[in-house]
Amino acid sequence: MKNIQIIDGAENCAFSVFSTSDDDFRVIFPAGTDIEFVEDLFARLGTRRVTQVLRTLWERPIEKKLINGIHGTLFFQLRARKRFYPTNKEAEMIAAPASRRG
């Protein structure tokens, strides 16, 4: 099982974590990636498959204090952040210039 953190554009986003099977994790995060944007997921897999994968994911919330690592991050409504993740790998994230942090 793998853990996925959900980050959405809501001001009150809870940064929830859900568990998924290794197979579904590879569907969401192909080729060793660990960052995905839901818009790209829909473009890649289509509505039917994404709905199926997410339905299963939503059924497995995990309390953060009980998790043993976060294996991937799925962004919703935050397409503007895609520019920081050109390879969809967190370790290769491009940080914003110091003058724009805040």
Side-chain angles (χ1 to χ4, degrees), residues 44-61:
R44 187 165 41 85
L45 300 176
T47 301
R48 180 177 289 159
R49 183 67 173 124
V50 172
T51 300
Q52 179 185 39
V53 169
L54 293 181
R55 183 178 297 127
T56 303
L57 185 69
W58 302 146
E59 293 173 355
R60 297 186 191 136

Side-chain angles (χ1 to χ4, degrees), residues 7-67:
I7 301 177
D8 68 41
E11 192 161 332
N12 65 341
C13 178
F15 302 93
S16 299
V17 178
F18 296 83
S19 180
T20 193
S21 69
D22 290 346
D23 289 339
D24 280 352
F25 185 86
R26 284 188 295 272
V27 168
I28 297 170
F29 303 100
T33 61
D34 57 5
I35 298 290
E36 185 59 282
F37 292 82
V38 76
E39 298 87 354
D40 293 342
L41 192 63
F42 275 98
R44 187 165 41 85
L45 300 176
T47 301
R48 180 177 289 159
R49 183 67 173 124
V50 172
T51 300
Q52 179 185 39
V53 169
L54 293 181
R55 183 178 297 127
T56 303
L57 185 69
W58 302 146
E59 293 173 355
R60 297 186 191 136
I62 305 174
E63 289 186 52
K64 290 178 192 166
K65 62 185 174 190
L66 300 177
I67 67 170

